[in-house]
mmCIF file with all atom_site columns, all heavy atoms in Angstrom:
data_model
loop_
_atom_site.group_PDB
_atom_site.id
_atom_site.type_symbol
_atom_site.label_atom_id
_atom_site.label_alt_id
_atom_site.label_comp_id
_atom_site.label_asym_id
_atom_site.label_entity_id
_atom_site.label_seq_id
_atom_site.pdbx_PDB_ins_code
_atom_site.Cartn_x
_atom_site.Cartn_y
_atom_site.Cartn_z
_atom_site.occupancy
_atom_site.B_iso_or_equiv
_atom_site.pdbx_formal_charge
_atom_site.auth_seq_id
_atom_site.auth_comp_id
_atom_site.auth_asym_id
_atom_site.auth_atom_id
_atom_site.pdbx_PDB_model_num
ATOM 1  N N   . GLY A 1 80 ? -14.548 38.812 28.527 1.00 80.00 ? 501 GLY A N   1
ATOM 2  C CA  . GLY A 1 80 ? -14.968 38.947 27.119 1.00 80.00 ? 501 GLY A CA  1
ATOM 3  C C   . GLY A 1 80 ? -16.390 39.329 26.917 1.00 80.00 ? 501 GLY A C   1
ATOM 4  O O   . GLY A 1 80 ? -17.137 39.563 27.896 1.00 80.00 ? 501 GLY A O   1
ATOM 5  N N   . THR A 1 81 ? -16.774 39.418 25.725 1.00 85.00 ? 502 THR A N   1
ATOM 6  C CA  . THR A 1 81 ? -18.166 39.637 25.316 1.00 85.00 ? 502 THR A CA  1
ATOM 7  C C   . THR A 1 81 ? -18.830 38.303 24.973 1.00 85.00 ? 502 THR A C   1
ATOM 8  O O   . THR A 1 81 ? -18.107 37.258 24.954 1.00 85.00 ? 502 THR A O   1
ATOM 9  C CB  . THR A 1 81 ? -18.280 40.541 24.133 1.00 85.00 ? 502 THR A CB  1
ATOM 10 O OG1 . THR A 1 81 ? -17.713 39.862 22.991 1.00 85.00 ? 502 THR A OG1 1
ATOM 11 C CG2 . THR A 1 81 ? -17.460 41.872 24.324 1.00 85.00 ? 502 THR A CG2 1
ATOM 12 N N   . HIS A 1 82 ? -20.147 38.293 24.786 1.00 88.00 ? 503 HIS A N   1
ATOM 13 C CA  . HIS A 1 82 ? -20.796 37.051 24.365 1.00 88.00 ? 503 HIS A CA  1
ATOM 14 C C   . HIS A 1 82 ? -20.253 36.503 23.082 1.00 88.00 ? 503 HIS A C   1
ATOM 15 O O   . HIS A 1 82 ? -20.089 35.312 22.922 1.00 88.00 ? 503 HIS A O   1
ATOM 16 C CB  . HIS A 1 82 ? -22.310 37.288 24.314 1.00 88.00 ? 503 HIS A CB  1
ATOM 17 C CG  . HIS A 1 82 ? -23.004 37.579 25.536 1.00 88.00 ? 503 HIS A CG  1
ATOM 18 N ND1 . HIS A 1 82 ? -22.904 36.725 26.613 1.00 88.00 ? 503 HIS A ND1 1
ATOM 19 C CD2 . HIS A 1 82 ? -23.675 38.622 25.922 1.00 88.00 ? 503 HIS A CD2 1
ATOM 20 C CE1 . HIS A 1 82 ? -23.628 37.260 27.623 1.00 88.00 ? 503 HIS A CE1 1
ATOM 21 N NE2 . HIS A 1 82 ? -24.133 38.339 27.227 1.00 88.00 ? 503 HIS A NE2 1
ATOM 22 N N   . VAL A 1 83 ? -19.852 37.391 22.181 1.00 87.00 ? 504 VAL A N   1
ATOM 23 C CA  . VAL A 1 83 ? -19.249 36.928 20.918 1.00 87.00 ? 504 VAL A CA  1
ATOM 24 C C   . VAL A 1 83 ? -17.951 36.334 21.057 1.00 87.00 ? 504 VAL A C   1
ATOM 25 O O   . VAL A 1 83 ? -17.648 35.264 20.539 1.00 87.00 ? 504 VAL A O   1
ATOM 26 C CB  . VAL A 1 83 ? -19.312 38.164 19.935 1.00 87.00 ? 504 VAL A CB  1
ATOM 27 C CG1 . VAL A 1 83 ? -18.496 37.715 18.603 1.00 87.00 ? 504 VAL A CG1 1
ATOM 28 C CG2 . VAL A 1 83 ? -20.652 38.623 19.604 1.00 87.00 ? 504 VAL A CG2 1
ATOM 29 N N   . THR A 1 84 ? -17.003 37.008 21.795 1.00 84.00 ? 505 THR A N   1
ATOM 30 C CA  . THR A 1 84 ? -15.648 36.441 21.921 1.00 84.00 ? 505 THR A CA  1
ATOM 31 C C   . THR A 1 84 ? -15.713 35.195 22.772 1.00 84.00 ? 505 THR A C   1
ATOM 32 O O   . THR A 1 84 ? -14.897 34.278 22.604 1.00 84.00 ? 505 THR A O   1
ATOM 33 C CB  . THR A 1 84 ? -14.695 37.453 22.521 1.00 84.00 ? 505 THR A CB  1
ATOM 34 O OG1 . THR A 1 84 ? -15.248 37.970 23.845 1.00 84.00 ? 505 THR A OG1 1
ATOM 35 C CG2 . THR A 1 84 ? -14.501 38.688 21.612 1.00 84.00 ? 505 THR A CG2 1
ATOM 36 N N   . GLU A 1 85 ? -16.599 35.144 23.762 1.00 85.00 ? 506 GLU A N   1
ATOM 37 C CA  . GLU A 1 85 ? -16.723 33.907 24.562 1.00 85.00 ? 506 GLU A CA  1
ATOM 38 C C   . GLU A 1 85 ? -17.127 32.740 23.659 1.00 85.00 ? 506 GLU A C   1
ATOM 39 O O   . GLU A 1 85 ? -16.610 31.572 23.781 1.00 85.00 ? 506 GLU A O   1
ATOM 40 C CB  . GLU A 1 85 ? -17.706 34.148 25.652 1.00 85.00 ? 506 GLU A CB  1
ATOM 41 C CG  . GLU A 1 85 ? -17.835 32.956 26.659 1.00 85.00 ? 506 GLU A CG  1
ATOM 42 C CD  . GLU A 1 85 ? -18.789 33.221 27.824 1.00 85.00 ? 506 GLU A CD  1
ATOM 43 O OE1 . GLU A 1 85 ? -19.166 34.405 27.954 1.00 85.00 ? 506 GLU A OE1 1
ATOM 44 O OE2 . GLU A 1 85 ? -19.179 32.278 28.524 1.00 85.00 ? 506 GLU A OE2 1
ATOM 45 N N   . ALA A 1 86 ? -18.111 32.998 22.824 1.00 88.00 ? 507 ALA A N   1
ATOM 46 C CA  . ALA A 1 86 ? -18.534 31.909 21.822 1.00 88.00 ? 507 ALA A CA  1
ATOM 47 C C   . ALA A 1 86 ? -17.419 31.527 20.857 1.00 88.00 ? 507 ALA A C   1
ATOM 48 O O   . ALA A 1 86 ? -17.212 30.358 20.633 1.00 88.00 ? 507 ALA A O   1
ATOM 49 C CB  . ALA A 1 86 ? -19.781 32.406 21.053 1.00 88.00 ? 507 ALA A CB  1
ATOM 50 N N   . GLN A 1 87 ? -16.650 32.540 20.469 1.00 87.00 ? 508 GLN A N   1
ATOM 51 C CA  . GLN A 1 87 ? -15.562 32.186 19.511 1.00 87.00 ? 508 GLN A CA  1
ATOM 52 C C   . GLN A 1 87 ? -14.513 31.399 20.259 1.00 87.00 ? 508 GLN A C   1
ATOM 53 O O   . GLN A 1 87 ? -13.990 30.376 19.681 1.00 87.00 ? 508 GLN A O   1
ATOM 54 C CB  . GLN A 1 87 ? -14.918 33.475 19.058 1.00 87.00 ? 508 GLN A CB  1
ATOM 55 C CG  . GLN A 1 87 ? -15.661 34.207 17.971 1.00 87.00 ? 508 GLN A CG  1
ATOM 56 C CD  . GLN A 1 87 ? -14.900 35.580 17.611 1.00 87.00 ? 508 GLN A CD  1
ATOM 57 O OE1 . GLN A 1 87 ? -15.075 36.527 18.276 1.00 87.00 ? 508 GLN A OE1 1
ATOM 58 N NE2 . GLN A 1 87 ? -14.227 35.442 16.526 1.00 87.00 ? 508 GLN A NE2 1
ATOM 59 N N   . SER A 1 88 ? -14.190 31.706 21.466 1.00 84.00 ? 509 SER A N   1
ATOM 60 C CA  . SER A 1 88 ? -13.133 30.914 22.199 1.00 84.00 ? 509 SER A CA  1
ATOM 61 C C   . SER A 1 88 ? -13.595 29.485 22.472 1.00 84.00 ? 509 SER A C   1
ATOM 62 O O   . SER A 1 88 ? -12.876 28.496 22.429 1.00 84.00 ? 509 SER A O   1
ATOM 63 C CB  . SER A 1 88 ? -12.775 31.649 23.456 1.00 84.00 ? 509 SER A CB  1
ATOM 64 O OG  . SER A 1 88 ? -13.785 31.720 24.383 1.00 84.00 ? 509 SER A OG  1
ATOM 65 N N   . TYR A 1 89 ? -14.883 29.331 22.814 1.00 87.00 ? 510 TYR A N   1
ATOM 66 C CA  . TYR A 1 89 ? -15.490 28.025 22.979 1.00 87.00 ? 510 TYR A CA  1
ATOM 67 C C   . TYR A 1 89 ? -15.449 27.183 21.729 1.00 87.00 ? 510 TYR A C   1
ATOM 68 O O   . TYR A 1 89 ? -15.033 25.980 21.810 1.00 87.00 ? 510 TYR A O   1
ATOM 69 C CB  . TYR A 1 89 ? -16.927 28.176 23.547 1.00 87.00 ? 510 TYR A CB  1
ATOM 70 C CG  . TYR A 1 89 ? -17.715 26.821 23.543 1.00 87.00 ? 510 TYR A CG  1
ATOM 71 C CD1 . TYR A 1 89 ? -17.413 25.882 24.596 1.00 87.00 ? 510 TYR A CD1 1
ATOM 72 C CD2 . TYR A 1 89 ? -18.558 26.463 22.520 1.00 87.00 ? 510 TYR A CD2 1
ATOM 73 C CE1 . TYR A 1 89 ? -18.064 24.681 24.594 1.00 87.00 ? 510 TYR A CE1 1
ATOM 74 C CE2 . TYR A 1 89 ? -19.151 25.219 22.574 1.00 87.00 ? 510 TYR A CE2 1
ATOM 75 C CZ  . TYR A 1 89 ? -18.931 24.378 23.563 1.00 87.00 ? 510 TYR A CZ  1
ATOM 76 O OH  . TYR A 1 89 ? -19.525 23.130 23.589 1.00 87.00 ? 510 TYR A OH  1
ATOM 77 N N   . LEU A 1 90 ? -15.743 27.802 20.665 1.00 90.00 ? 511 LEU A N   1
ATOM 78 C CA  . LEU A 1 90 ? -15.732 27.069 19.382 1.00 90.00 ? 511 LEU A CA  1
ATOM 79 C C   . LEU A 1 90 ? -14.275 26.657 19.029 1.00 90.00 ? 511 LEU A C   1
ATOM 80 O O   . LEU A 1 90 ? -14.046 25.519 18.592 1.00 90.00 ? 511 LEU A O   1
ATOM 81 C CB  . LEU A 1 90 ? -16.358 27.865 18.249 1.00 90.00 ? 511 LEU A CB  1
ATOM 82 C CG  . LEU A 1 90 ? -17.873 28.049 18.286 1.00 90.00 ? 511 LEU A CG  1
ATOM 83 C CD1 . LEU A 1 90 ? -18.318 29.082 17.301 1.00 90.00 ? 511 LEU A CD1 1
ATOM 84 C CD2 . LEU A 1 90 ? -18.571 26.651 18.017 1.00 90.00 ? 511 LEU A CD2 1
ATOM 85 N N   . LEU A 1 91 ? -13.347 27.542 19.274 1.00 88.00 ? 512 LEU A N   1
ATOM 86 C CA  . LEU A 1 91 ? -11.994 27.301 19.016 1.00 88.00 ? 512 LEU A CA  1
ATOM 87 C C   . LEU A 1 91 ? -11.455 26.101 19.893 1.00 88.00 ? 512 LEU A C   1
ATOM 88 O O   . LEU A 1 91 ? -10.818 25.180 19.377 1.00 88.00 ? 512 LEU A O   1
ATOM 89 C CB  . LEU A 1 91 ? -11.133 28.499 19.313 1.00 88.00 ? 512 LEU A CB  1
ATOM 90 C CG  . LEU A 1 91 ? -9.630  28.431 18.978 1.00 88.00 ? 512 LEU A CG  1
ATOM 91 C CD1 . LEU A 1 91 ? -9.391  28.188 17.504 1.00 88.00 ? 512 LEU A CD1 1
ATOM 92 C CD2 . LEU A 1 91 ? -8.900  29.787 19.420 1.00 88.00 ? 512 LEU A CD2 1
#
Side-chain angles (χ1 to χ4, degrees):
T502 66
H503 291 305
V504 172
T505 57
E506 186 179 348
Q508 284 178 279
S509 66
Y510 170 77
L511 289 170
L512 184 59

